[in-house]
Amino acid sequence: MPLIKNKPSVQVSFQLVKKELKLVESQILDQVKAFDPALEPYMDYICNTSGKRIRPALAILAGGATGGVNDDHLKIGVILELIHMSTLVHDDIIDGADTRRKVPTANAKWGNGMAVLLGDALFSHSLLLATEFDSIDICRKVGKASREVCQGEVIQTQRRFDLTLTKDDYFHIIEMKTGALFAAATGIAASLSEVSEDVETQLYNYGMKLGTAYQIYDDCLDLVGTEEEVGKTLRTDLEKGKLTLPLLNLIEQATPAQREKLNKRIIEQQPLDLPVLIGIAEYEGAVESALDTAANLLQEAREDLQILPASKWRSSLEEITSYLDGLLDKCRK
Amino acid sequence: MPLIKNKPSVQVSFQLVKKELKLVESQILDQVKAFDPALEPYMDYICNTSGKRIRPALAILAGGATGGVNDDHLKIGVILELIHMSTLVHDDIIDGADTRRKVPTANAKWGNGMAVLLGDALFSHSLLLATEFDSIDICRKVGKASREVCQGEVIQTQRRFDLTLTKDDYFHIIEMKTGALFAAATGIAASLSEVSEDVETQLYNYGMKLGTAYQIYDDCLDLVGTEEEVGKTLRTDLEKGKLTLPLLNLIEQATPAQREKLNKRIIEQQPLDLPVLIGIAEYEGAVESALDTAANLLQEAREDLQILPASKWRSSLEEITSYLDGLLDKCRK
């Protein structure tokens, strides 16, 4: 399987919530002013490296689908996006990444130490912002999601180059590190609409499955994408011994001789470079199988939405899964 | 001024709250179980490197002094101590410190990347724990104090080797990075006792001044203490170009020729080693003057306590300032 050319990064248009996402964007930039003047230039840089804003879009769509979008849905979107951004600042330190979204990372610009502290400041601000809801329940849900993300990151780092990592372990990690914030976006948005517990749970589940599928896609992209198109440093998973689903499939499907060769590299903490992987039979099959797993999760996520009355919002939540399906398909080419 | 021998680390006995501090200690260790099993060994290590627990002691004493100690005062003590511990984990990365409280730091044990993530996990857990109060007001105060600490750390790092740093800037930094959590301990404890706003403000001020004085003491200790006695890596401020109050005094008091020599080293980001400093006239005076500033703050802190009715708790809060006064005096020897 060759590297994919012309592989676009995720760019869902989110047409339905375009207006709301503009407000979210401006509210994110407004946060810069909440910091001490000394921090403003840093925060301005970090907040201006525009992301895909998937989490805010999910919160807004879930709000629309559960009775109508209000300011609270925008606010939870902003908060979860800021939390996400603060984790990216720290992720880039861990991964030694110098580029994200085609611009230098905080660590590349100001060094690792400063990036640690800037991530902390942004993270603490996000959690403080959550107290503006005047609802302990919402604060608790935001806090829990944040802790999940952090714990997922710890376990992922702990288990690098760890051959005993099972697929269950992998799912546990990605549900925490990625699923939790997606699920918080849709679940908390439902909670803010004061819907029944059942609807909130189903929307939470939708977010969890979508987030998990998205992470599997991202893990496949790290193997088969190109840096020019994706706009960030790739192949870091291989270098860092991060055993993602396609790699776990590969290890599982390899012949005993191939497995030994692969294991040797992992145990010696040598980078798992692509030529070595492609040399192993079933490399394509291993990626395909991971993509299938993601597609199944997306199907389940669509089913979770059936509890909602039909609406343009529900359709848009469905379209996101279809869009991601399309991206998975491009990885197969 | 020679290095101080037999310089004890701060070890206030906190006799009056010994029983409560034992409970705090056990509640801190209980937090380990709140994490994913994979994180327990790390958190167990971090939570077992017993600190001085100054912040919990302050919360408990302030609780006693405002109507009686209850479980909430212990809980806020635990939360603020966990936040403090999480900032120490990140501080040690920034400072490249390999020892704290005579044991290896998290970064020395598991590397910088893991230490970043463990600090994040502990920090997010602390803020989640604050939601157990069922009070948005308390959550907000905890969140604000946390953000202050993080911002203080950023500004401190930003302004290393920065000759334009004024004493006002220095106080702004240490009030944020150290004062904020001390003030939160006494201020939130008063708030939990539902006292008048005036009493809460005075107790907040007491904590702020005590914390600021404590940081000045710590900054002087970094220059005149010995590692064997203090139990952590010292002279890091000098190496890292951190312009603390005694150094700012020194720059201010130096002759033009001395200042030029000192400035040259700072501009070239060369370590400010002690022999260079001692060669400058008024080195002793510069430390003395910083110690005087701290002593004045302690006097003001004592005055803030006068709003409280006389009690063994108030006496104990006063004794802490006297104890710190004693430590300042030892630095003068």
Side-chain angles (χ1 to χ4, degrees):
Chain A
M1 183 180 289
L3 288 186
I4 293 173
K5 298 288 175 200
N6 305 316
K7 175 77 214 58
S9 176
V10 185
Q11 281 300 349
V12 196
S13 69
F14 295 131
Q15 195 58 41
L16 184 60
V17 292
K18 208 171 163 185
K19 194 184 73 195
E20 287 83 357
L21 280 181
K22 263 201 168 166
L23 289 171
V24 162
E25 202 62 43
S26 109
Q27 285 178 26
I28 287 174
L29 291 178
D30 281 348
Q31 300 313 312
V32 173
K33 299 172 211 141
F35 291 91
D36 187 282
L39 274 80
E40 284 188 22
Y42 302 102
M43 290 304 168
D44 193 57
Y45 181 83
I46 293 170
C47 291
N48 262 305
T49 51
S50 72
K52 300 176 282 281
R53 312 304 189 210
I54 299 177
R55 291 153 197 82
L58 289 174
I60 294 161
L61 290 170
T66 52
V69 183
N70 61 42
D71 288 349
D72 283 350
H73 298 118
L74 270 64
K75 192 182 204 61
I76 193 66
V78 169
I79 291 167
L80 296 174
E81 187 69 11
L82 293 174
I83 292 171
H84 170 60
M85 286 156 69
S86 73
T87 67
L88 293 184
V89 171
H90 284 185
D91 275 4
D92 288 337
I93 302 169
I94 316 294
D95 292 341
D98 51 13
T99 311
R100 177 177 293 270
R101 293 164 192 157
K102 308 193 183 184
V103 298
T105 56
N107 47 303
K109 243 178 126 62
W110 302 297
N112 286 346
M114 195 56 150
V116 170
L117 299 174
L118 289 169
D120 289 348
L122 187 56
F123 187 54
S124 60
H125 175 67
S126 321
L127 293 175
L128 177 57
L129 207 56
T131 65
E132 289 184 9
F133 277 118
D134 281 322
S135 155
I136 273 290
D137 180 57
I138 300 297
C139 277
R140 196 170 290 143
K141 282 171 177 159
V142 171
K144 272 192 187 160
S146 308
R147 193 182 61 180
E148 287 295 272
V149 174
C150 297
Q151 295 202 98
E153 297 276 354
V154 168
I155 304 176
Q156 174 178 272
T157 301
Q158 176 193 31
R159 306 214 51 190
R160 278 176 182 177
F161 294 106
D162 180 350
L163 281 167
T164 68
L165 190 90
T166 64
K167 288 186 187 175
D168 278 353
D169 296 333
Y170 168 79
F171 282 106
H172 183 54
I173 290 169
I174 68 170
E175 279 166 14
M176 290 176 112
K177 79 162 191 162
T178 312
L181 276 190
F182 276 63
T186 49
I188 297 176
S191 168
L192 288 166
S193 298
E194 298 181 0
V195 291
S196 72
E197 211 173 296
D198 276 0
V199 173
E200 183 181 336
T201 302
Q202 291 295 87
L203 269 168
Y204 179 92
N205 290 343
Y206 163 86
M208 180 58 78
K209 286 167 194 165
L210 182 70
T212 309
Y214 178 73
Q215 186 58 56
I216 296 173
Y217 162 69
D218 204 53
D219 288 344
C220 291
L221 199 61
D222 188 81
L223 285 176
V224 302
T226 67
E227 292 195 5
E228 308 88 279
E229 295 297 325
V230 180
K232 64 175 180 179
T233 311
L234 291 180
R235 250 66 67 192
T236 57
D237 293 348
L238 295 167
E239 276 167 38
K240 299 298 171 75
K242 214 186 280 180
L243 296 175
T244 60
L245 189 56
L247 293 172
L248 290 172
N249 285 337
L250 195 65
I251 294 170
E252 193 178 73
Q253 293 169 10
T255 63
Q258 287 165 339
R259 192 174 310 183
E260 200 181 325
K261 185 172 155 194
L262 204 56
N263 284 357
K264 190 172 175 296
R265 290 189 78 89
I266 294 170
I267 287 168
E268 289 171 0
Q269 305 214 350
Q270 289 176 29
L272 297 167
D273 61 80
L274 211 54
V276 170
L277 289 175
I278 293 175
I280 291 178
E282 299 305 333
Y283 171 68
E284 281 197 35
V287 176
E288 287 282 338
S289 168
L291 295 167
D292 288 346
T293 304
N296 288 339
L297 280 166
L298 292 174
Q299 179 54 32
E300 282 177 41
R302 274 188 290 274
E303 285 158 19
D304 286 328
L305 295 175
Q306 298 315 306
I307 198 169
L308 299 169
S311 72
K312 58 180 179 179
W313 312 97
R314 192 187 84 176
S315 300
S316 191
L317 287 169
E318 285 163 354
E319 276 162 23
I320 293 174
T321 65
S322 309
Y323 182 82
L324 191 45
D325 262 327
L327 292 180
L328 294 173
D329 283 341
K330 282 192 186 162
C331 282
R332 297 181 201 269
K333 274 173 198 158
Chain B
M1 185 181 290
L3 288 186
I4 293 173
K5 298 290 176 199
N6 306 315
K7 175 78 214 54
S9 177
V10 185
Q11 282 300 347
V12 196
S13 69
F14 295 132
Q15 196 59 41
L16 184 60
V17 292
K18 209 172 163 184
K19 195 183 72 196
E20 287 84 356
L21 280 180
K22 264 201 164 164
L23 289 171
V24 162
E25 203 62 43
S26 111
Q27 285 178 26
I28 287 174
L29 291 178
D30 280 349
Q31 301 312 313
V32 173
K33 298 171 212 144
F35 291 91
D36 187 282
L39 275 80
E40 284 187 20
Y42 301 101
M43 291 303 169
D44 193 56
Y45 182 83
I46 293 170
C47 291
N48 262 304
T49 52
S50 73
K52 299 177 283 281
R53 311 308 188 210
I54 299 178
R55 292 154 196 81
L58 289 173
I60 295 160
L61 290 170
T66 52
V69 184
N70 61 42
D71 288 349
D72 283 350
H73 298 118
L74 270 64
K75 193 183 204 60
I76 193 65
V78 169
I79 291 168
L80 297 175
E81 186 69 11
L82 292 174
I83 291 171
H84 171 58
M85 286 156 68
S86 73
T87 65
L88 292 185
V89 170
H90 284 185
D91 275 3
D92 287 336
I93 301 170
I94 316 297
D95 292 341
D98 51 13
T99 311
R100 178 179 292 272
R101 292 163 192 160
K102 308 193 181 184
V103 298
T105 56
N107 48 303
K109 243 179 125 62
W110 303 297
N112 286 347
M114 194 56 149
V116 170
L117 300 174
L118 289 169
D120 289 348
L122 187 56
F123 187 55
S124 60
H125 175 66
S126 319
L127 292 174
L128 178 57
L129 208 55
T131 66
E132 287 184 11
F133 277 118
D134 281 323
S135 156
I136 273 291
D137 180 57
I138 300 297
C139 277
R140 196 170 291 143
K141 283 172 177 159
V142 171
K144 273 193 186 161
S146 306
R147 193 181 61 180
E148 287 294 272
V149 174
C150 297
Q151 295 202 98
E153 298 275 354
V154 168
I155 304 176
Q156 174 177 272
T157 300
Q158 176 194 30
R159 306 214 51 190
R160 278 175 182 179
F161 295 105
D162 179 351
L163 281 167
T164 68
L165 189 90
T166 64
K167 287 187 188 175
D168 277 352
D169 296 333
Y170 167 80
F171 282 105
H172 183 54
I173 291 169
I174 68 170
E175 278 166 13
M176 290 177 114
K177 79 162 189 161
T178 312
L181 276 190
F182 276 63
T186 48
I188 297 176
S191 168
L192 288 166
S193 299
E194 298 181 359
V195 291
S196 73
E197 211 173 295
D198 276 359
V199 173
E200 184 180 335
T201 302
Q202 292 295 87
L203 269 168
Y204 178 91
N205 291 342
Y206 163 87
M208 180 57 79
K209 287 166 195 164
L210 182 70
T212 308
Y214 178 74
Q215 187 57 56
I216 297 172
Y217 162 69
D218 204 52
D219 288 344
C220 291
L221 199 61
D222 188 81
L223 286 176
V224 301
T226 67
E227 292 194 6
E228 308 86 280
E229 295 297 326
V230 179
K232 65 174 181 180
T233 311
L234 291 181
R235 249 66 66 193
T236 57
D237 293 349
L238 295 167
E239 277 168 36
K240 300 298 172 73
K242 213 186 282 179
L243 296 175
T244 59
L245 188 56
L247 293 172
L248 291 171
N249 285 337
L250 195 64
I251 293 170
E252 193 179 74
Q253 293 170 7
T255 64
Q258 287 165 339
R259 191 174 309 182
E260 199 180 326
K261 185 172 156 192
L262 204 56
N263 284 358
K264 191 170 174 296
R265 291 189 76 90
I266 294 170
I267 287 167
E268 289 171 359
Q269 305 214 350
Q270 288 174 33
L272 297 167
D273 62 80
L274 210 54
V276 171
L277 291 175
I278 292 175
I280 291 178
E282 298 304 333
Y283 171 68
E284 280 196 36
V287 176
E288 287 282 337
S289 167
L291 295 168
D292 288 346
T293 305
N296 288 338
L297 282 165
L298 292 174
Q299 179 54 31
E300 282 178 39
R302 273 189 290 274
E303 285 159 19
D304 287 328
L305 294 175
Q306 298 314 306
I307 198 169
L308 298 169
S311 72
K312 58 181 179 178
W313 311 98
R314 191 186 85 178
S315 300
S316 191
L317 287 168
E318 286 163 352
E319 276 160 24
I320 294 174
T321 65
S322 309
Y323 182 82
L324 191 44
D325 262 326
L327 292 179
L328 294 173
D329 283 341
K330 280 192 187 161
C331 283
R332 297 180 201 269
K333 275 173 198 159

